[in-house]
Amino acid sequence: MEEPQRGIRASHTASTISVYQTYSPEIGGPAVREGSFPATWKQDRMTWTTKPHSRPLLRP
């Protein structure tokens, strides 16, 4: 089965859920090197995911 190009990547324990976001090399590279996002990154473009009420967020 081919993995979709876009998707939500996450891991979980009994008490936490960690959701991972990928960035373009122009944003991700400087963020890793400098420990903060570069000026090209805009917080107002972020989106948030919430747990659906009708089904579990993650299945093992």
Side-chain angles (χ1 to χ4, degrees), residues 14-49:
S15 61
T16 63
I17 297 175
S18 297
V19 179
Y20 301 92
Q21 172 69 48
T22 60
Y23 296 95
S24 68
E26 296 79 20
I27 294 174
V32 171
R33 284 191 305 274
E34 299 165 19
S36 62
F37 288 105
T40 56
W41 178 81
K42 304 293 183 204
Q43 184 174 6
D44 60 339
R45 295 192 63 199
M46 292 177 61
T47 58
W48 299 95
T49 59

